Amino acid sequence: MISYLKGEIIQVQQNPPRVVVLTSSGVGYTVTLPAFVEESMQPYEGQELELHIYYSVSERQPLPILVGFEEAGDRDFFEQFIQVEGIGPARAAAALTMPVPTLAYAIETEDLVTLTLMPGIGQRGAQKIIATLRGKVSEAASRPIPTAAQRARGQDTRADVIAVLVSLGYRNTEAVAMVDEAIRQDPDLIDDPQALLRDVFRNSPPKPAVTQ
């Protein structure tokens, strides 16, 4: 079982979720970084890293999966997150684009809007997450949100909200028009994906979610 790694990055994969090859004591490890981790640390070759590791290997997945986190508490949340039906380690790593405190708070407050911003989750998946984890992640919800991660997250607000609308059944051109009109009416919404999506929904009720 691998729970912690400290070493130097010798290779960085360019496609998200980011994968780095980390060498430690002469051994190389392939480690997946969820988007919020990658955005906060911006990995590059030669960089020294210390990562708390989620390690998984099973009959169905004989090739080991290593997922890296800067904080042990984030790894603990990840271990809870993958207990949700239909969300395995690979899907969870791709879905975690927001800091853990943001997601945990959304779970505790039953904020479906925020949870549907996660890639590949959708409304039905968000409901399952709340049903499984509400009341179990309050400690993570009370932690401060990393400022760097918040800033990085805000850069992709428009694209993320458009993607959510498309996943809920809107045509891409329709979603783009709705989001751009909301931003034109209130430019400050570009800094807050939850508020932007709520504003769009207020002006046009959401369609039923597509099957996950």
Side-chain angles (χ1 to χ4, degrees):
M1 175 69 70
I2 301 171
S3 61
Y4 174 84
L5 284 175
K6 179 179 181 180
E8 177 183 332
I9 295 176
I10 58 175
Q11 184 181 351
V12 179
Q13 177 181 305
Q14 297 305 311
N15 297 324
R18 193 78 70 196
V19 173
V20 301
V21 178
L22 189 74
T23 182
S24 178
S25 302
V27 180
Y29 300 89
T30 300
V31 182
T32 297
L33 302 180
F36 81 92
V37 177
E38 185 271 329
E39 288 170 350
S40 68
M41 65 172 49
Q42 295 296 311
Y44 57 88
E45 292 180 13
Q47 181 181 7
E48 292 285 338
L49 281 187
E50 296 182 41
L51 294 171
H52 296 274
I53 299 295
Y54 167 82
Y55 176 92
S56 174
V57 63
S58 65
E59 241 179 73
R60 295 179 60 186
Q61 179 60 54
L63 185 66
I65 294 176
L66 281 71
V67 185
F69 303 89
E70 288 185 281
E71 304 289 339
D74 291 345
R75 180 191 59 197
D76 295 343
F77 175 86
F78 183 84
E79 291 176 343
Q80 292 178 294
F81 191 68
I82 61 175
Q83 299 306 311
V84 178
E85 181 185 0
I87 299 181
R91 187 179 180 189
L96 295 184
T97 56
M98 286 178 273
V100 164
T102 298
L103 296 176
Y105 184 78
I107 291 168
E108 292 296 325
T109 58
E110 301 185 55
D111 183 354
L112 284 169
V113 171
T114 295
L115 296 177
T116 55
L117 289 171
M118 288 188 288
I121 296 301
Q123 190 169 10
R124 186 175 300 176
Q127 291 169 342
K128 286 184 180 179
I129 291 168
I130 291 172
T132 304
L133 297 180
R134 186 173 180 272
K136 301 178 182 178
V137 294
S138 56
E139 184 176 346
S142 65
R143 289 166 44 202
I145 300 172
T147 303
Q150 277 186 302
R151 288 199 301 267
R153 177 65 191 156
Q155 294 173 359
D156 294 325
T157 296
R158 178 179 176 275
D160 287 341
V161 173
I162 289 171
V164 169
L165 292 172
V166 170
S167 75
L168 294 177
Y170 291 95
R171 295 189 303 275
N172 187 73
T173 53
E174 185 179 18
V176 169
M178 293 163 64
V179 170
D180 286 349
E181 176 60 19
I183 294 172
R184 188 185 68 79
Q185 295 286 342
D186 184 357
D188 289 341
L189 291 173
I190 194 62
D191 296 321
D192 189 336
Q194 298 97 316
L196 177 54
L197 193 56
R198 288 193 185 97
D199 188 83
V200 170
F201 283 169
R202 274 197 298 269
N203 291 287
S204 181
K207 295 182 179 180
V210 297
T211 301
Q212 297 300 308

